[in-house]
Amino acid sequence: MVSDPSRSSTLPLDPVRPVTDAEVETFRRDGVVLLRGILPTEWLDALAGPIDRVVNSGEAVDIGGIAGGEDAPAFAGGVDHWRLDDTFRAFSVASPLAPIVARLLGSASVWLWEDSVLVKEPGSPYPTYFHTDASYFHLRGDQVCTTWVPLDAATPETGVVRWVRGSHLDRVGDDATGDFVEYRPNLFVTEDPIPGTVGELVPDVLGTPDLADRLITFDVEPGDVTVHHARTLHGAPPNSSTRRRRAISVRYCGDDIRYLHKPGLPGRPGLDEVADGDPVGEPWCPQVWPR
Ligand SMILES: O=C(O)CCC(=O)C(=O)O
């Protein structure tokens, strides 16, 4: 158990159940896996207040503004809440997510890269455009993933994420030994790429039958966690419902990950103090596994 800084209580360190061999195989093959009923929901109770706080304070900004929306219901997005708030830090560093990720990545050690609150308010008209998380990270290597943790039941109507199955294994050209495709990061709520970045433009997934046919999504409940590989193409529809879609997304690195400064991407704390090829680690990326 870990103490909950906001409630003077304790929260479970371990998942409700182990990750199965079949789930590991699914993650490696599809680049995404749904882990049903794996997160003790006490964590979600502890996070609800801090999530409202970052949404209401503006620490998570309405990224709908990037798409030119002004009066529409918000899509609030923030990053690195763990650096400022003890409950977010406890969740990213000392929750059951760490052993779950170690198992899926097959990594002896796991480091935190970042956390991100992502709330689509009822009626929020903004889709999350398709992208790969790897495009946004100053990293190279294979063992990187994102855990997406819903606080509300989520469906396509409320804006649950959808993924292009197996896209983490897509390579340049037809050569099965070629490099993995590296996509250019976009502005998340528009398909415009971030100026100055490099890579292939993300294709029109919904308009490309070969990609659209591979889409996979899940209706999720609090306590479920989805985990996707950082190279897996994914996006999410708007929230066309009358319910909130609150989620926190936490991204982790494994043993083979090294820094790689990429042009055009925003910086991050500590980035100027590391060189390409350095391993990630304290103090910028806390080690979360083994504990
Ligand atoms: O929550 C969303 O709409 C998108 C989530 C996402 O892209 C991520 O966490 O990697």
Coordinates of all heavy atoms in Angstrom, one line a residue, residues 46-101:
A46 N -9.1 8.6 -5.7 CA -8.1 9.6 -5.2 C -7.7 10.6 -6.3 O -7.4 11.7 -6.0 CB -6.8 8.8 -4.8
L47 N -7.8 10.2 -7.6 CA -7.4 11.1 -8.7 C -8.5 12.1 -9.1 O -8.2 13.1 -9.7 CB -7.1 10.3 -9.9 CG -5.7 9.6 -9.8 CD1 -5.6 8.5 -10.9 CD2 -4.6 10.6 -10.0
A48 N -9.8 11.8 -8.7 CA -10.9 12.6 -9.2 C -10.7 14.1 -8.9 O -10.9 15.0 -9.7 CB -12.2 12.1 -8.7
G49 N -10.4 14.3 -7.6 CA -10.3 15.7 -7.1 C -9.1 16.4 -7.8 O -9.2 17.5 -8.4
P50 N -7.9 15.8 -7.8 CA -6.8 16.4 -8.5 C -7.0 16.6 -10.0 O -6.6 17.7 -10.6 CB -5.6 15.4 -8.3 CG -6.0 14.7 -7.0 CD -7.5 14.7 -7.0
I51 N -7.8 15.8 -10.7 CA -8.1 16.0 -12.1 C -9.0 17.2 -12.2 O -8.7 18.1 -13.1 CB -8.7 14.7 -12.7 CG1 -7.6 13.7 -12.9 CG2 -9.4 15.1 -14.1 CD1 -8.0 12.4 -13.5
D52 N -10.0 17.3 -11.4 CA -10.8 18.5 -11.5 C -10.0 19.8 -11.2 O -10.2 20.8 -11.8 CB -12.0 18.4 -10.5 CG -13.1 17.6 -11.1 OD1 -13.1 17.4 -12.3 OD2 -14.0 17.2 -10.3
R53 N -9.1 19.7 -10.2 CA -8.3 20.8 -9.9 C -7.4 21.3 -11.1 O -7.4 22.5 -11.5 CB -7.3 20.5 -8.7 CG -6.5 21.7 -8.3 CD -5.5 21.4 -7.2 NE -4.5 20.5 -7.7 CZ -3.5 20.7 -8.6 NH1 -3.5 21.9 -9.2 NH2 -2.7 19.8 -9.0
V54 N -6.8 20.3 -11.8 CA -5.9 20.8 -13.0 C -6.8 21.3 -14.1 O -6.4 22.2 -14.8 CB -4.9 19.7 -13.5 CG1 -4.0 19.3 -12.3 CG2 -5.6 18.5 -14.1
V55 N -8.0 20.7 -14.3 CA -8.9 21.2 -15.3 C -9.4 22.6 -15.0 O -9.4 23.6 -15.8 CB -10.1 20.3 -15.5 CG1 -11.2 20.9 -16.4 CG2 -9.6 19.0 -16.1
N56 N -9.8 22.8 -13.7 CA -10.4 24.1 -13.3 C -9.3 25.2 -13.2 O -9.6 26.4 -13.4 CB -11.2 24.0 -12.0 CG -12.4 23.1 -12.2 OD1 -12.9 23.0 -13.3 ND2 -12.8 22.4 -11.1
S57 N -8.1 24.8 -12.8 CA -7.1 25.9 -12.6 C -6.4 26.3 -13.9 O -5.7 27.2 -14.0 CB -6.0 25.3 -11.7 OG -5.3 24.3 -12.4
G58 N -6.6 25.5 -15.0 CA -6.0 25.8 -16.3 C -4.6 25.1 -16.4 O -3.9 25.3 -17.4
E59 N -4.2 24.3 -15.4 CA -3.0 23.6 -15.5 C -3.1 22.6 -16.7 O -2.2 22.4 -17.5 CB -2.7 22.8 -14.3 CG -1.3 22.0 -14.3 CD -1.1 21.3 -13.0 OE1 -1.4 21.8 -11.9 OE2 -0.6 20.1 -13.1
A60 N -4.3 22.1 -16.9 CA -4.7 21.4 -18.2 C -5.4 22.4 -19.0 O -6.5 22.9 -18.6 CB -5.5 20.2 -17.9
V61 N -4.9 22.8 -20.1 CA -5.5 23.9 -20.9 C -6.6 23.3 -21.9 O -6.5 22.1 -22.2 CB -4.5 24.6 -21.8 CG1 -3.5 25.4 -20.9 CG2 -3.7 23.7 -22.7
D62 N -7.5 24.1 -22.4 CA -8.4 23.7 -23.4 C -7.7 23.7 -24.7 O -7.6 24.7 -25.4 CB -9.6 24.6 -23.4 CG -10.6 24.2 -24.5 OD1 -10.4 23.1 -25.1 OD2 -11.6 24.9 -24.7
I63 N -7.3 22.5 -25.1 CA -6.5 22.4 -26.4 C -7.4 22.5 -27.6 O -6.9 22.7 -28.7 CB -5.6 21.1 -26.5 CG1 -6.5 19.8 -26.2 CG2 -4.5 21.2 -25.5 CD1 -5.6 18.6 -26.4
G64 N -8.7 22.6 -27.4 CA -9.6 22.9 -28.5 C -9.3 24.2 -29.1 O -9.6 24.5 -30.2
G65 N -8.7 25.1 -28.3 CA -8.4 26.5 -28.8 C -7.4 26.4 -29.9 O -7.4 27.2 -30.8
I66 N -6.6 25.3 -30.0 CA -5.6 25.2 -31.1 C -6.4 25.0 -32.4 O -5.9 25.4 -33.4 CB -4.7 23.9 -30.8 CG1 -3.9 24.1 -29.5 CG2 -3.8 23.7 -32.0 CD1 -3.1 22.9 -29.1
A67 N -7.5 24.3 -32.3 CA -8.4 24.1 -33.4 C -9.3 25.2 -33.8 O -10.1 25.1 -34.6 CB -9.2 22.8 -33.2
G68 N -9.1 26.3 -33.0 CA -9.9 27.5 -33.3 C -11.2 27.5 -32.6 O -12.0 28.5 -32.7
G69 N -11.5 26.5 -31.7 CA -12.8 26.5 -31.0 C -12.7 27.5 -29.8 O -11.6 27.5 -29.1
E70 N -13.7 28.2 -29.6 CA -13.6 29.1 -28.4 C -14.7 28.9 -27.4 O -14.5 28.7 -26.2 CB -13.7 30.6 -28.9 CG -12.3 31.1 -29.3 CD -12.3 32.4 -29.9 OE1 -13.3 33.2 -29.8 OE2 -11.3 32.8 -30.6
D71 N -16.0 28.8 -27.9 CA -17.1 28.6 -26.9 C -17.5 27.2 -26.7 O -18.4 26.9 -25.9 CB -18.3 29.5 -27.4 CG -17.9 30.9 -27.3 OD1 -17.1 31.3 -26.5 OD2 -18.4 31.7 -28.2
A72 N -16.9 26.3 -27.5 CA -17.3 24.9 -27.4 C -16.9 24.2 -26.1 O -15.9 24.7 -25.5 CB -16.7 24.1 -28.6
P73 N -17.6 23.2 -25.7 CA -17.1 22.4 -24.5 C -15.7 22.0 -24.7 O -15.3 21.6 -25.8 CB -18.1 21.3 -24.4 CG -19.3 21.8 -25.1 CD -18.8 22.7 -26.2
A74 N -14.9 22.0 -23.6 CA -13.5 21.9 -23.7 C -13.0 20.4 -23.9 O -13.7 19.5 -23.6 CB -12.9 22.4 -22.4
F75 N -11.8 20.4 -24.5 CA -11.0 19.2 -24.5 C -9.8 19.7 -23.7 O -8.9 20.4 -24.2 CB -10.6 18.7 -25.9 CG -9.7 17.5 -25.9 CD1 -9.3 16.8 -24.8 CD2 -9.1 17.1 -27.2 CE1 -8.4 15.7 -24.9 CE2 -8.3 16.0 -27.3 CZ -7.9 15.3 -26.1
A76 N -9.7 19.3 -22.4 CA -8.7 19.8 -21.5 C -7.5 18.8 -21.5 O -7.7 17.6 -21.4 CB -9.2 20.0 -20.1
G77 N -6.3 19.3 -21.8 CA -5.1 18.5 -21.8 C -4.0 19.1 -21.1 O -3.7 20.3 -21.2
G78 N -3.3 18.3 -20.3 CA -2.1 18.8 -19.6 C -1.1 17.7 -19.6 O -1.3 16.6 -20.0
V79 N 0.1 18.1 -19.1 CA 1.2 17.2 -19.1 C 2.1 17.4 -17.8 O 2.1 18.5 -17.3 CB 2.0 17.3 -20.4 CG1 2.9 18.5 -20.4 CG2 2.8 16.0 -20.7
D80 N 2.7 16.3 -17.3 CA 3.6 16.4 -16.2 C 3.0 16.9 -14.9 O 3.7 17.6 -14.2 CB 4.8 17.3 -16.6 CG 5.9 16.6 -17.4 OD1 5.8 15.3 -17.4 OD2 6.8 17.2 -17.9
H81 N 1.8 16.5 -14.7 CA 1.2 16.8 -13.4 C 1.9 16.2 -12.2 O 1.9 16.8 -11.1 CB -0.3 16.4 -13.4 CG -1.0 16.8 -14.7 ND1 -1.4 18.1 -14.9 CD2 -1.4 16.1 -15.8 CE1 -2.0 18.1 -16.1 NE2 -2.0 16.9 -16.6
W82 N 2.6 15.1 -12.4 CA 3.3 14.4 -11.3 C 4.4 15.3 -10.7 O 4.7 15.1 -9.6 CB 3.9 13.1 -11.8 CG 5.0 13.3 -12.8 CD1 4.9 13.4 -14.1 CD2 6.4 13.3 -12.4 NE1 6.2 13.5 -14.7 CE2 7.1 13.5 -13.6 CE3 7.1 13.3 -11.2 CZ2 8.5 13.6 -13.7 CZ3 8.5 13.4 -11.3 CH2 9.2 13.6 -12.5
R83 N 4.9 16.2 -11.5 CA 5.9 17.1 -11.0 C 5.4 18.1 -9.9 O 6.2 18.6 -9.1 CB 6.6 17.9 -12.1 CG 7.3 17.0 -13.1 CD 8.0 17.9 -14.1 NE 8.4 17.2 -15.3 CZ 9.5 16.4 -15.5 NH1 10.3 16.3 -14.5 NH2 9.7 15.8 -16.6
L84 N 4.1 18.3 -9.9 CA 3.5 19.4 -9.0 C 2.6 18.8 -8.0 O 2.3 19.6 -7.0 CB 2.7 20.4 -9.9 CG 3.5 21.1 -11.0 CD1 2.5 21.9 -11.9 CD2 4.5 22.0 -10.4
D85 N 2.1 17.6 -8.1 CA 1.0 17.2 -7.3 C 1.4 15.8 -6.7 O 1.7 14.9 -7.5 CB -0.3 17.1 -8.1 CG -1.4 16.7 -7.3 OD1 -1.5 15.5 -7.0 OD2 -2.3 17.5 -7.0
D86 N 1.2 15.6 -5.4 CA 1.6 14.3 -4.8 C 0.8 13.2 -5.2 O 1.2 12.0 -5.3 CB 1.6 14.5 -3.3 CG 2.7 15.3 -2.7 OD1 3.7 15.5 -3.5 OD2 2.6 15.8 -1.6
T87 N -0.5 13.4 -5.4 CA -1.4 12.3 -5.8 C -1.1 11.8 -7.2 O -1.0 10.6 -7.5 CB -2.9 12.7 -5.7 OG1 -3.1 13.2 -4.4 CG2 -3.8 11.5 -6.0
F88 N -0.9 12.8 -8.2 CA -0.4 12.4 -9.5 C 0.9 11.6 -9.4 O 1.1 10.7 -10.1 CB -0.3 13.6 -10.4 CG -1.7 14.1 -10.9 CD1 -2.1 15.4 -10.6 CD2 -2.5 13.3 -11.7 CE1 -3.3 15.9 -11.0 CE2 -3.7 13.8 -12.1 CZ -4.1 15.1 -11.8
R89 N 1.8 12.1 -8.6 CA 3.1 11.5 -8.5 C 3.0 10.1 -7.9 O 3.6 9.1 -8.5 CB 4.0 12.3 -7.5 CG 5.4 11.7 -7.5 CD 6.4 12.5 -6.6 NE 7.6 11.7 -6.5 CZ 8.6 11.8 -7.4 NH1 8.6 12.7 -8.4 NH2 9.7 11.1 -7.3
A90 N 2.1 9.9 -6.9 CA 1.9 8.6 -6.3 C 1.4 7.6 -7.4 O 1.8 6.5 -7.5 CB 1.0 8.6 -5.1
F91 N 0.4 8.2 -8.2 CA -0.2 7.3 -9.2 C 0.8 6.9 -10.3 O 0.9 5.7 -10.7 CB -1.3 8.1 -9.9 CG -2.1 7.2 -10.9 CD1 -2.7 6.0 -10.5 CD2 -2.3 7.6 -12.2 CE1 -3.4 5.2 -11.3 CE2 -3.0 6.8 -13.1 CZ -3.5 5.6 -12.7
S92 N 1.6 7.8 -10.8 CA 2.6 7.5 -11.8 C 3.8 6.7 -11.4 O 4.3 5.9 -12.1 CB 3.1 8.8 -12.4 OG 2.1 9.5 -13.1
V93 N 4.1 6.9 -10.1 CA 5.4 6.3 -9.6 C 5.1 5.0 -8.8 O 5.9 4.1 -8.8 CB 6.2 7.3 -8.8 CG1 7.4 6.7 -8.0 CG2 6.6 8.5 -9.7
A94 N 4.0 5.0 -8.0 CA 3.9 3.9 -7.0 C 2.6 3.2 -7.1 O 2.1 2.6 -6.2 CB 4.0 4.5 -5.6
S95 N 1.9 3.3 -8.3 CA 0.6 2.6 -8.4 C 0.9 1.2 -9.1 O 2.0 0.9 -9.5 CB -0.4 3.4 -9.2 OG -0.1 3.3 -10.6
P96 N -0.2 0.4 -9.3 CA 0.0 -0.9 -10.0 C 0.4 -0.7 -11.5 O 0.7 -1.7 -12.1 CB -1.4 -1.5 -9.9 CG -2.1 -0.9 -8.7 CD -1.5 0.5 -8.7
L97 N 0.4 0.5 -12.0 CA 0.7 0.7 -13.4 C 2.2 0.2 -13.6 O 2.5 -0.4 -14.7 CB 0.6 2.1 -13.9 CG -0.8 2.7 -13.9 CD1 -0.7 4.2 -14.4 CD2 -1.7 1.9 -14.8
A98 N 3.1 0.4 -12.7 CA 4.5 0.0 -12.9 C 4.7 -1.5 -13.2 O 5.3 -1.8 -14.2 CB 5.3 0.5 -11.7
P99 N 4.2 -2.3 -12.3 CA 4.4 -3.8 -12.6 C 3.6 -4.2 -13.8 O 4.1 -5.1 -14.6 CB 3.9 -4.5 -11.3 CG 3.0 -3.5 -10.6 CD 3.6 -2.1 -10.9
I100 N 2.5 -3.6 -14.1 CA 1.8 -3.9 -15.4 C 2.7 -3.6 -16.6 O 2.8 -4.5 -17.5 CB 0.5 -3.1 -15.4 CG1 -0.5 -3.6 -14.4 CG2 -0.2 -3.2 -16.8 CD1 -1.8 -2.7 -14.2
V101 N 3.3 -2.5 -16.6 CA 4.1 -2.0 -17.7 C 5.3 -2.9 -17.8 O 5.7 -3.3 -18.9 CB 4.4 -0.6 -17.6 CG1 5.6 -0.2 -18.5 CG2 3.2 0.3 -17.9

